[in-house]
Amino acid sequence: MEDDSNSNSINQFDGDENRILQQLLHTNISSKRKQLFWYDIRNFPDSLLIEILARLPVKSIFSFKSVCKHWQTLISHPSFCRFYYSILNSNAPSSSQPLRILDRYTYVPTLDELLNRLCTEVHSLSEFSVVFLSTPEDQQQYHQFRILAISNGLILCCWRAPTPFVYYICDPLTRQWITLPRRGHRYHDSFKEGLITKVNEDHMLTSYTVVRLEHLTLNYLNLETFSSETGKWITYKLPCPIPILWRQLACAPIYCYGALHWQVINDKGIHVMLAFDPYKDPKSVCLIPFPDDRDLKSEHNYMGACQLCGESQGSLRYFEVAHDSTQLYLFSMWVMKDYEKGEWCCEFKVRRNDLHSNDLELSNWLLDGWFRPLSFHPLNPNVVYLQCMEPERIVSYNILNKRLDFASKPTDSAQLILWSTAIPFVLPKWPVLDPITTVKSKKRG
């Protein structure tokens, strides 16, 4: 990956490791004793230094890599990552990792600015937030960056500009990126992309694959893959089992069971998933049905806005919200039972009067409020995020206790998040390090 040498975290220390170490140690020492407190870093054991550093926030740890070469070596070693994980996992479960829902459309002038906003907004202190990386005013000034897919904390994005567009794979914490070889001169809405990354136990990126689909005809797809192992794009023209159409409002791909899934429409006007596994069978695609007993009328009339398909804890899930107050059940959810056979199992159906909330304002809206599904929590299978349309709020629904809670502040009507543009992003405990880059690139100065 390329490294942004203009990162704010770099150069904020002058290289004096003695001074930095004293600042870390002095936090638990009385002011009277600080005058007599002094350590020579040359005599300070590495084991104790690692114990101190591993208990700091990950963003601070990566800032301290610039203190000196010795600290950089310690922090960059795979054993430090494993030790950091052991401490973190002993203190908090994985489901407590902060979740961001990103709006996939961003209007910024440069990739540097996109990384700046990602670093600032994504790594805020809140446990949950909806992140808009650009303002309505930005949309009038700049070309669009589009966030296409997320995998292991890495973001696949492209710059939709009149000039030849470029794909990037970015790490919002380290501000590093990979630039892929260009494909064509302009970006088309018919493109559907996906990203698959493989990370080892030391959180080192071992390989990545970018997939791009283009709908040629009703029966054929133009499929291109770029692999870090080959360093080049490979093109396939694949037949579809049956004629398909892209959905008018297409969301990001779903990665589950080793395959990427895009939501499409079959020749009968029914919504299905197009699945592609670049490792198991790179020369074919297959169609996966949604639950048979879902509300097909709502799916057709509202273009799927009342339905949500996503992944949580390694399983595909399908969530449905009633489109009007006359329906008996407000929320319904299915879980994939047999992937090979395309069989779903209904987990629950919930009526309005079964719901409750500890928030008085939200309680007043439970009987006639209008909701739209937004995202599953990738690490907590018991939580679904929804958009309450009136009042405009993002709420969380707990499947176990049937409770609704406000998850974020009121949304600006000018920046209303849509299910088709929402991409869940879990902040990684540790950034992906030292990827295998087969694409030549230059460091920005």
Side-chain angles (χ1 to χ4, degrees):
M1 281 189 178
E2 301 179 20
D3 191 3
D4 184 355
S5 59
N6 293 325
S7 172
N8 292 332
S9 63
I10 305 301
N11 298 326
Q12 61 177 310
F13 305 111
D14 60 8
D16 185 352
E17 57 268 33
N18 274 308
R19 179 176 60 82
I20 302 300
L21 183 58
Q22 289 177 63
Q23 290 177 358
L24 295 175
L25 295 174
H26 279 194
T27 55
N28 295 319
I29 299 175
S30 65
S31 58
K32 293 182 179 180
R33 296 179 59 194
K34 284 183 180 180
Q35 298 177 0
L36 302 176
F37 196 77
W38 178 263
Y39 276 103
D40 187 341
I41 189 64
R42 293 170 296 182
N43 299 323
F44 199 83
D46 285 350
S47 59
L48 184 56
L49 179 59
I50 291 173
E51 287 278 356
I52 296 171
L53 291 174
R55 285 164 172 78
L56 298 176
V58 65
K59 192 174 180 180
S60 299
I61 294 175
F62 272 75
S63 297
F64 286 142
K65 289 178 69 174
S66 63
V67 170
C68 64
K69 290 184 178 180
H70 181 60
W71 284 32
Q72 182 182 30
T73 301
L74 287 178
I75 296 172
S76 301
H77 197 277
S79 62
F80 184 89
C81 173
R82 291 193 294 269
F83 183 63
Y84 178 83
Y85 260 95
S86 67
I87 294 176
L88 204 62
N89 291 334
S90 64
N91 295 330
S94 60
S95 59
S96 65
Q97 289 178 249
L99 173 67
R100 304 289 177 261
I101 294 183
L102 304 180
D103 182 48
R104 67 186 306 182
Y105 301 131
T106 303
Y107 297 83
V108 291
T110 63
L111 178 62
D112 285 332
E113 182 60 24
L114 176 64
L115 291 173
N116 282 335
R117 299 191 186 189
L118 276 170
C119 188
T120 301
E121 299 294 336
V122 169
H123 295 278
S124 60
L125 297 178
S126 60
E127 289 300 313
F128 171 86
S129 64
V130 176
V131 177
F132 294 94
L133 297 172
S134 56
T135 65
E137 291 75 21
D138 291 335
Q139 298 179 20
Q140 309 301 321
Q141 303 180 51
Y142 307 119
H143 295 297
Q144 183 190 98
F145 269 92
R146 179 174 291 189
I147 297 176
L148 305 169
I150 292 175
S151 177
N152 286 311
L154 298 179
I155 296 176
L156 173 68
C157 62
C158 72
W159 190 29
R160 289 189 66 188
T163 55
F165 72 94
V166 180
Y167 288 113
Y168 301 97
I169 300 176
C170 307
D171 187 324
L173 178 59
T174 63
R175 294 171 53 85
Q176 295 177 313
W177 69 91
I178 298 169
T179 304
L180 302 188
R182 291 179 176 177
R183 299 295 293 173
H185 297 287
R186 297 184 66 88
Y187 187 86
H188 297 285
D189 288 329
S190 61
F191 295 160
K192 309 297 175 187
E193 295 88 352
L195 172 66
I196 301 176
T197 59
K198 292 189 175 182
V199 178
N200 63 18
E201 62 179 4
D202 295 325
H203 218 59
M204 306 286 286
L205 183 65
T206 58
S207 67
Y208 63 88
T209 300
V210 175
V211 179
R212 186 173 85 173
L213 287 174
E214 184 179 7
H215 195 197
L216 295 179
T217 66
L218 291 176
N219 297 88
Y220 283 91
L221 292 169
N222 186 54
L223 190 146
E224 297 178 281
T225 64
F226 179 87
S227 170
S228 60
E229 298 174 351
T230 62
K232 61 182 180 179
W233 289 92
I234 299 176
T235 303
Y236 305 96
K237 185 178 179 181
L238 304 180
C240 291
I242 60 175
I244 63 167
L245 293 172
W246 291 138
R247 290 178 60 172
Q248 185 175 355
L249 297 175
C251 52
I254 304 166
Y255 179 72
C256 196
Y257 309 118
L260 290 166
H261 303 79
W262 291 267
Q263 299 184 41
V264 297
I265 301 175
N266 66 15
D267 56 341
K268 298 180 181 179
I270 305 298
H271 292 201
V272 295
M273 285 187 294
L274 179 73
F276 172 69
D277 187 335
Y279 298 102
K280 183 178 180 180
D281 188 359
K283 295 185 179 181
S284 69
V285 294
C286 64
L287 296 177
I288 308 294
F290 288 127
D292 293 332
D293 52 339
R294 68 190 188 279
D295 189 344
L296 293 176
K297 181 179 178 181
S298 169
E299 180 180 88
H300 176 76
N301 291 342
Y302 295 93
M303 297 184 295
C306 296
Q307 287 79 25
L308 170 70
C309 186
E311 179 272 342
S312 181
Q313 289 287 285
S315 298
L316 282 175
R317 293 171 175 247
Y318 190 88
F319 193 88
E320 185 174 76
V321 177
H323 62 275
D324 64 57
S325 58
T326 62
Q327 293 177 275
L328 178 61
Y329 297 106
L330 177 62
F331 299 151
S332 304
M333 192 181 83
W334 295 260
V335 176
M336 179 63 77
K337 180 181 179 181
D338 190 319
Y339 181 73
E340 297 298 328
K341 297 180 180 179
E343 295 180 355
W344 296 81
C345 176
C346 184
E347 290 281 294
F348 65 81
K349 290 181 179 289
V350 177
R351 297 171 294 183
R352 283 183 181 270
N353 55 12
D354 293 329
L355 303 175
H356 68 98
S357 176
N358 294 334
D359 188 281
L360 180 60
E361 182 182 6
L362 185 56
S363 296
N364 294 333
W365 287 93
L366 288 182
L367 294 181
D368 53 3
W370 182 26
F371 300 92
R372 285 186 178 179
L374 197 58
S375 173
F376 292 99
H377 194 302
L379 300 180
N380 189 343
N382 298 317
V383 174
V384 182
Y385 292 95
L386 306 104
Q387 187 163 27
C388 182
M389 306 305 294
E390 188 178 353
E392 293 179 356
R393 302 284 195 278
I394 304 298
V395 299
S396 63
Y397 173 63
N398 189 297
I399 294 171
L400 296 180
N401 56 28
K402 302 177 183 178
R403 190 183 72 222
L404 286 166
D405 294 300
F406 282 131
S408 70
K409 296 179 180 180
T411 56
D412 186 346
S413 58
Q415 291 185 310
L416 193 64
I417 191 77
L418 300 174
W419 62 272
S420 59
T421 64
I423 300 183
F425 175 66
V426 177
L427 271 66
K429 296 179 181 180
W430 190 262
V432 173
L433 300 176
D434 300 328
I436 301 173
T437 307
T438 56
V439 184
K440 271 195 171 183
S441 53
K442 296 180 180 179
K443 182 183 287 188
R444 298 189 177 186

